[in-house]
Amino acid sequence: MSSATKGPDGTRLVSLSDEEAVRDILAGTVLDLWKVVNNLTRLRPSKRERYRVAIFGSARAQPGTFVYDEVKRAAAAFASLGCDIVTGGGPGLMQAANEGAKSGGAPGSVGIRVELPFEQDVNPFVEQAFEHETFFTRLHHFVIASDAFVVVPGGIGTVLEMLMIWQLLQVRHVNDVPLILVGKMWKGLVDWTKTAMLDPRLALAHPEDLTIPQCLESTDEAIAVVRDLHAKWKARQPQR
């Protein structure tokens, strides 16, 4: 078959021996696939019956530690308000949040996982698990599944998730979703952004962008903030 052969619909057919033309087709097809992905990311869920709180945190914290028990207590309090809990579905503080959701009576305790070569399976307190192969699709799932983001102490992965959500809020790809940082570690990071990015010699961000995260030190503060957010959300729901 020559590279100039036409198909029944008039489309130019390309021989596999024509390496340059094959590369062009593959490159164009990949770009078209990204267009499909971009269109899919525009989809948003319909109205939910329950407020959903996503909790990001370390996979390394062990049951019985102070931070584990505090995250479990916070998730239980959120659940008792009528919230569902969304986590990464793994061990550590993700498990603490799912465990708290179960003890607080939340019918929905979701784990949104990503395949990693070294991490354990989904924790036993997840009621509904979703598996992703990429961090990109996993993050988008978090975005469309959550009404509020609560970030508790964590390492590089937790920091990355928090910063990505912060950027989505900054560029208005996500709107009116609170980003709540709980724990003493976060204030230092946010203060650093204000010092480094608002240098008058070279401003790297708008001052309002750096007020997006709300830094809290205690579990009780987080429970109070989410209680207020949930009450406002509930007041906006149509009466039945």
Side-chain angles (χ1 to χ4, degrees):
M1 181 186 296
S2 72
S3 61
T5 303
K6 300 288 187 178
D9 59 353
T11 303
R12 175 175 173 259
L13 302 181
V14 174
S15 170
L16 290 176
S17 63
D18 188 342
E19 295 183 2
E20 183 177 354
V22 169
R23 283 197 299 268
D24 289 344
I25 288 175
L26 291 176
T29 301
V30 169
L31 290 174
D32 285 342
L33 286 174
W34 277 113
K35 291 178 183 178
V36 172
V37 172
N38 287 335
N39 276 330
L40 289 174
T41 61
R42 295 166 56 197
L43 296 175
R44 291 293 182 268
S46 56
K47 295 292 184 181
R48 285 188 282 267
E49 294 185 359
R50 292 172 61 86
Y51 194 77
R52 282 188 171 183
V53 180
I55 299 178
F56 295 131
S58 172
R60 302 189 181 201
Q62 297 298 310
T65 58
F66 175 77
V67 67
Y68 186 102
D69 291 341
E70 285 296 280
V71 172
K72 178 181 172 182
R73 181 167 75 89
F78 301 159
S80 69
L81 294 172
C83 303
D84 289 336
I85 302 300
V86 183
T87 78
L93 299 185
M94 294 174 280
Q95 177 173 308
N98 290 123
E99 184 178 358
K102 186 171 183 179
S103 67
S109 185
V110 178
I112 304 176
R113 304 271 294 144
V114 66
E115 290 185 4
L116 294 174
F118 51 81
E119 194 167 292
Q120 301 173 20
D121 293 332
V122 63
N123 74 66
F125 300 100
V126 169
E127 299 290 339
Q128 187 178 21
F130 298 92
E131 298 287 340
H132 288 264
E133 294 186 1
T134 69
F135 283 96
F136 167 76
T137 59
R138 178 179 183 244
L139 180 71
H140 182 66
H141 194 165
F142 267 110
V143 168
I144 66 173
S146 308
D147 297 298
F149 295 101
V150 174
V151 187
V152 296
I156 294 171
T158 302
V159 172
L160 175 63
E161 290 165 336
M162 183 276 290
L163 289 173
M164 293 178 74
I165 295 297
W166 189 350
Q167 186 198 26
L168 291 174
L169 288 164
Q170 176 212 358
V171 298
R172 309 297 189 268
H173 279 207
V174 176
N175 294 297
D176 301 322
V177 181
L179 177 60
I180 304 161
L181 313 183
V182 186
K184 294 182 179 179
M185 67 173 285
W186 298 112
K187 186 176 184 300
L189 176 60
V190 175
D191 286 347
W192 169 81
T193 66
K194 293 176 181 178
T195 301
M197 297 182 186
L198 298 181
D199 188 323
R201 295 168 297 180
L202 178 62
L204 302 173
H206 193 284
E208 288 186 3
D209 295 336
L210 304 187
T211 66
I212 290 171
Q214 182 176 359
C215 292
L216 308 174
E217 288 196 4
S218 72
T219 300
D220 290 331
E221 288 177 284
I223 292 170
V225 168
V226 172
R227 180 185 296 115
D228 183 60
L229 290 169
H230 179 261
K232 291 177 179 177
W233 172 85
K234 195 171 181 179
R236 294 194 300 267
Q237 303 311 301
Q239 298 297 318
R240 296 188 177 184

